[in-house]
């Protein structure tokens, strides 16, 4: 099983706090973050067709309670704030909502679609599929800081807390008669504090792999982070619960969301960031009637079961992002 690696000094003094990390590879029902409410799924609206999808590249909440923004958000059905798709190609884009610098991204994309899934290769349009719902998001390089402070020498960002990841992509996909399916991964990445890389993120991620900083539980945590965070929900976007009322991963759920990286900075300047997010809702009572028998081997090309490209999502990214993503290493 993959694990995060601690890089650099085992102890970094920042604001008088010794930063070390404890690694906890957990079951899907256990993560560094306890799933929150429907807001963590994304934007939920009323629909008549009982399918819904949401995706974004980056979301940041906090920083003195002055910001709560989803960047490059896509949604099905389309809303005034979110179209069906974003694609940024090779361009390097500065993220600065409300004048607050949050980082830089390249070859970004996000997609959300209902009653369809993407074509097997980029640029061939959507494949109609009644009752299906699909979302994905990714980027060739994502460098996020809370807030972002660029290193003038071009090295690791100097942000108080930073996340850098390359070749990252996630997807959520729900088909009639089947539970929701997630994929996620990245080529490489790291988490940094004040210009020092504290944690190296491996190419292959365990589901809900979490870390707490510092590891000493007698001290208040400075930060929590989870990679490949997968959460099942009900058809309203609320996390599924067990008999005791606490969150419990439901392997039969048809709805849910995945975050590539979810990090929370605690203390006096609380902030929360998710890097690449995909979420789907599907009501099986309405949509399972559209389930079809398994296709013959000669007719399966339109719906691949596993990735056909180096993208971690089950379908290739949009043409505008594919060129920037093609050099990433395989994630599974």
């Amino acid at each position: 099983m993959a694990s995060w690696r601690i890089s650099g000094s085992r102890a970094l003094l920042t604001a008088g706090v010794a930063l070390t990390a404890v690694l906890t590879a957990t079951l899907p029902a256990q993560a560094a973050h306890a799933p929150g409410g429907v807001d963590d799924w994304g934007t939920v609206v009323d629909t008549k067709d009982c399918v819904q999808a949401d995706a974004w590249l980056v979301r940041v909440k906090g920083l003195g309670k002055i910001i709560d923004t989803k960047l490059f958000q896509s949604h099905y059905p389309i809303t005034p704030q979110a179209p069906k798709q974003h694609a940024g190609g090779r361009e390097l884009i500065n993220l600065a909502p409300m004048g607050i610098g949050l980082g830089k991204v390249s070859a970004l994309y996000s997609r959300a679609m209902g009653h369809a899934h993407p074509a097997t290769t980029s640029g061939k349009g959507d494949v109609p599929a009644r009752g299906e719902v699909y979302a994905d998001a990714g980027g060739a390089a994502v460098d996020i800081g809370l807030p972002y402070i660029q290193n003038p020498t071009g090295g690791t960002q100097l942000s108080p807390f930073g996340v850098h990841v390359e070749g990252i992509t996630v997807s959520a996909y729900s088909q009639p008669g089947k539970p929701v399916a997630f994929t996620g991964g990245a080529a490489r990445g790291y988490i940094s504090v004040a210009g020092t890389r504290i944690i190296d993120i491996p190419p292959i991620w365990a589901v809900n792999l979490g870390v707490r900083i510092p590891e000493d539980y007698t001290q208040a945590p400075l930060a929590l982070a989870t990679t490949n965070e997968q959460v099942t929900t009900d058809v309203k976007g609320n996390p599924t619960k067990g008999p005791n009322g606490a969150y419990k991963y439901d392997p039969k759920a048809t709805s849910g969301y995945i975050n590539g990286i979810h990090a929370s900075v605690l203390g006096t300047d609380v902030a929360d960031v998710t890097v690449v997010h995909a979420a789907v809702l599907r009501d099986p009572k309405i949509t399972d009637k559209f389930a079809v028998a398994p296709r013959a081997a000669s007719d399966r090309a339109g719906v691949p079961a596993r990735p056909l490209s180096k993208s971690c999502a089950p379908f290739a990214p949009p043409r505008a992002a594919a060129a920037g993503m093609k050099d990433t290493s395989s994630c599974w």
Side-chain angles (χ1 to χ4, degrees), residues 179-332:
V180 62
F182 305 111
T183 64
R188 62 189 65 84
Y190 59 80
I191 290 177
S192 63
V193 175
T196 298
R197 300 184 186 186
I198 300 301
I199 300 166
D200 288 330
I201 301 172
I204 301 176
W205 305 350
V207 174
N208 291 338
L209 182 62
V211 62
R212 180 189 191 271
I213 305 172
E215 65 179 344
D216 184 354
Y217 276 74
T218 65
Q219 301 182 43
L222 175 70
L224 302 172
T226 308
T227 61
N228 204 354
E229 181 180 51
Q230 301 181 12
V231 177
T232 55
T233 71
D234 63 19
V235 296
K236 299 294 185 181
N238 297 298
T240 52
K241 297 180 180 180
N244 63 354
Y247 169 72
K248 183 178 181 180
Y249 190 95
D250 181 0
K252 297 181 180 180
T254 60
S255 305
Y257 63 87
I258 177 172
N259 293 314
I261 298 176
H262 180 189
S264 296
V265 179
L266 309 176
T268 57
D269 194 14
V270 176
D272 186 90
V273 59
T274 55
V275 178
V276 298
H277 168 93
V280 293
L281 298 179
R282 182 178 69 81
D283 188 342
K285 295 180 180 179
I286 305 299
T287 59
D288 272 357
K289 64 185 178 182
F290 300 118
V292 297
R295 297 187 178 195
S298 61
D299 192 34
R300 288 177 182 166
V303 188
R306 299 301 299 168
L308 297 182
S309 73
K310 290 184 178 181
S311 168
C312 299
F315 304 96
R319 183 183 297 277
M325 299 290 291
K326 68 181 180 181
D327 294 329
T328 63
S329 61
S330 176
C331 299
W332 294 101

Side-chain angles (χ1 to χ4, degrees), residues 40-305:
D40 290 331
W41 182 92
T43 304
V44 177
V45 299
D46 292 331
T47 64
K48 295 181 180 180
D49 56 4
C50 300
V51 297
Q52 195 163 162
D54 202 1
W56 61 71
L57 186 77
V58 175
R59 182 185 187 182
V60 175
K61 297 187 291 184
L63 292 178
K65 298 182 179 180
I66 61 175
I67 191 170
D68 184 351
T69 185
K70 304 179 183 77
L71 302 177
F72 301 101
Q73 181 185 18
S74 299
H75 196 276
Y76 175 87
I78 293 172
T79 71
Q81 294 76 32
K84 172 185 173 181
Q85 175 176 307
H86 285 282
R90 294 175 179 269
E91 293 86 358
L92 183 67
I93 297 175
N94 291 314
L95 305 179
M98 299 176 62
I100 300 172
L102 296 180
K104 300 176 183 293
V105 300
S106 66
L108 67 92
Y109 72 94
S110 68
R111 291 183 292 189
M113 57 187 70
H115 302 295
H117 60 252
T120 56
T121 57
S122 58
K124 289 189 176 181
D126 303 342
V127 177
R130 193 75 181 272
E132 290 190 0
V133 61
Y134 178 88
D136 66 0
V142 183
D143 203 32
I144 303 298
L146 300 178
Y148 185 73
I149 302 174
Q150 184 171 341
N151 190 325
T153 66
T156 303
Q157 61 173 285
L158 303 180
S159 310
F161 186 86
V163 176
H164 176 89
V165 65
E166 299 172 19
I168 187 170
T169 179
V170 297
S171 73
Y173 186 24
S174 188
Q175 301 170 266
K178 298 181 180 180
V180 62
F182 305 111
T183 64
R188 62 189 65 84
Y190 59 80
I191 290 177
S192 63
V193 175
T196 298
R197 300 184 186 186
I198 300 301
I199 300 166
D200 288 330
I201 301 172
I204 301 176
W205 305 350
V207 174
N208 291 338
L209 182 62
V211 62
R212 180 189 191 271
I213 305 172
E215 65 179 344
D216 184 354
Y217 276 74
T218 65
Q219 301 182 43
L222 175 70
L224 302 172
T226 308
T227 61
N228 204 354
E229 181 180 51
Q230 301 181 12
V231 177
T232 55
T233 71
D234 63 19
V235 296
K236 299 294 185 181
N238 297 298
T240 52
K241 297 180 180 180
N244 63 354
Y247 169 72
K248 183 178 181 180
Y249 190 95
D250 181 0
K252 297 181 180 180
T254 60
S255 305
Y257 63 87
I258 177 172
N259 293 314
I261 298 176
H262 180 189
S264 296
V265 179
L266 309 176
T268 57
D269 194 14
V270 176
D272 186 90
V273 59
T274 55
V275 178
V276 298
H277 168 93
V280 293
L281 298 179
R282 182 178 69 81
D283 188 342
K285 295 180 180 179
I286 305 299
T287 59
D288 272 357
K289 64 185 178 182
F290 300 118
V292 297
R295 297 187 178 195
S298 61
D299 192 34
R300 288 177 182 166
V303 188

